[in-house]
Every structure is written in structure tokens, then in C-alpha cells.
Amino acid sequence: MIESDTGYRIYAIGSWFFDENDYDWACNEDYIPKNKYLTIKEGEVNSMHWSDFNQLCIESLVNILGDLSNSIPVNLQYITTGFDDGDLDIVWSVKDERY
């Protein structure tokens, strides 16, 4: 996630590498969707504190993953979220199905 002049933006990337102790792994962009950015234009959401927006994203991902739990690809190891300039939160992991 990033905060821009036009509001919060969410994007998805994928990486074949993950290190729970070093979040710089997220710089390894092995999968980049063609239209990776989603700009949030809802005024109420854009006026949220960044930590509240982060929590909203975590809760939304948890709900989505709960609905799709039987559809998660078998080679997927982790799903994380967080701001570019901060720590990442592990929302789901194959080792303990954390969601």
C-alpha cells in the first residue's frame, strides 16, 4: 500500500522469495500484474489514519481468504500486506493457515 496525493493505493505483486525476518524480500517482484494499482477514491477511507487503513486492508483480506480458502493455489506460501515504507503483516501462511 502507498499513500499518494490522490489517496491510498493498493497494489499486488508476487515473489518466489520470502523471509519473515527481512521484509526487503518484498522488493523481489517476480509477478507484477498488468494493472497492479487500485486507487481508493472513497473520501471516508482516504481520511483514515494510515494504521486504520492498514487494519481495514488486513480485515478485508482475511474475509476474502475465508471465502476462498479452498481456492488458494497450492504453491502459495504467504500473503502479506503493509505499506511500502513499513513492516509487513502476514495475513495468511501455508504453515499455519493464519487468517
Side-chain angles (χ1 to χ4, degrees), residues 35-50:
N35 298 309
K36 73 176 185 177
Y37 288 103
L38 170 65
T39 300
I40 308 299
K41 295 187 178 184
E42 177 62 41
E44 184 177 321
V45 172
N46 280 326
S47 65
M48 295 175 102
H49 187 270
W50 70 266

Side-chain angles (χ1 to χ4, degrees), residues 4 12 19 23-25 28 31 33-35 44 53 55-56 61-62 65 74 78-81 86 88-89 94-95 97:
S4 71
D19 184 343
Y23 290 133
D24 281 341
W25 69 266
N28 300 333
Y31 168 74
K34 184 177 180 179
N35 298 309
E44 184 177 321
F53 180 73
Q55 188 60 38
L56 175 65
L61 278 171
V62 167
L65 292 169
V74 295
Y78 292 89
I79 296 175
T80 65
T81 187
L88 298 175
D89 295 297
V94 70
K95 69 181 180 183
E97 296 191 25

